[in-house]
Amino acid sequence: MMICFGSLKTEAASVYTVKSGDSLYKIGQTNGVPVHSIQSINQLKSDIIYPGQRLKMPSTISNSDKELLARLVSAEAKGEPYAGKVAVATVVLNRVDSSSFPNSVREVIYQVDQGHYAFTPVQNGAINKPADAASKKAVQEALAFRGQGPGSLYFYNPKTSTSKWILSKQVTVKIGNHVFAK
């Protein structure tokens, strides 16, 4: 199944008309926006929505940034469970939202700090390979739940990591071969 990134405009909020069978989760995942943002912008007090209801949709990251993030997820989480792919995408989004990191997906992914790349696929060129469908879907899910979860800012494979610094970070979750931390 081919998963394409939606046509949500990033310049301004758009409007979505609720269809039968929709839920805030489904709308958020399809459009790559956090559920709590949909609730907030529409002043919804619950998860109840109705067919025909018009919801303002918050802006999201650009399609090119979604594609870049999906390529990173594909390269970083190859062979990992789907939840690990979502968690890798979430780390990047958490960094964008953190004052300790750059303010855009592209800047976070391509960040070089003291001569070290933040992500190995940037250094070895794997970032330039096409993303698989599961990685694209994982990015959409990470966007839908942006701002929720344990707040992971880092991940590593304990079998291959040589950094003592990363081991000092608080572990938030372990998924597959990756340890996530903040």
Side-chain angles (χ1 to χ4, degrees):
M1 173 172 74
M2 184 60 135
I3 298 180
C4 299
F5 292 123
S7 60
L8 187 68
K9 295 181 179 171
T10 58
E11 302 81 35
S14 61
V15 175
Y16 178 86
T17 302
V18 177
K19 299 174 191 69
S20 181
D22 275 347
S23 67
L24 288 178
Y25 168 78
K26 183 178 175 184
I27 295 167
Q29 187 175 30
T30 300
N31 291 285
V33 296
V35 171
H36 64 85
S37 293
I38 298 170
Q39 289 174 309
S40 177
I41 196 170
N42 290 284
Q43 301 176 347
L44 298 176
K45 306 266 188 256
S46 73
D47 292 340
I48 298 171
I49 54 174
Y50 303 96
Q53 184 176 359
R54 294 174 52 83
L55 299 174
K56 291 183 231 168
M57 297 298 295
S59 60
T60 185
I61 66 173
S62 71
N63 285 336
S64 64
D65 277 355
K66 287 180 190 177
E67 183 63 36
L68 176 63
L69 182 53
R71 291 194 325 256
L72 177 75
V73 168
S74 190
E76 282 283 9
K78 187 174 230 128
E80 293 294 318
Y82 177 75
K85 293 177 186 305
V86 174
V88 166
T90 300
V91 163
V92 174
L93 296 173
N94 287 346
R95 287 184 178 194
V96 170
D97 294 340
S98 169
S99 62
S100 299
F101 294 92
N103 296 324
S104 74
V105 168
R106 180 166 296 283
E107 290 173 317
V108 165
I109 290 173
Y110 287 109
Q111 184 178 17
V112 179
D113 188 19
Q114 298 178 355
H116 299 283
Y117 289 89
F119 300 100
T120 303
V122 174
Q123 183 177 1
N124 68 21
I127 188 84
N128 299 316
K129 295 182 180 174
D132 61 344
S135 296
K136 290 181 180 183
K137 183 178 176 187
V139 166
Q140 290 295 97
E141 188 164 334
L143 285 164
F145 286 103
R146 189 173 186 173
Q148 298 177 21
S152 303
L153 292 170
Y154 311 97
F155 64 90
Y156 61 96
N157 183 333
K159 295 177 185 173
T160 60
S161 180
T162 58
S163 169
K164 290 184 182 359
W165 172 85
I166 195 69
L167 299 176
S168 71
K169 297 297 180 187
Q170 178 188 347
V171 172
T172 54
V173 67
K174 294 178 183 179
I175 303 172
N177 292 318
H178 283 131
V179 174
F180 295 82
K182 60 180 176 181

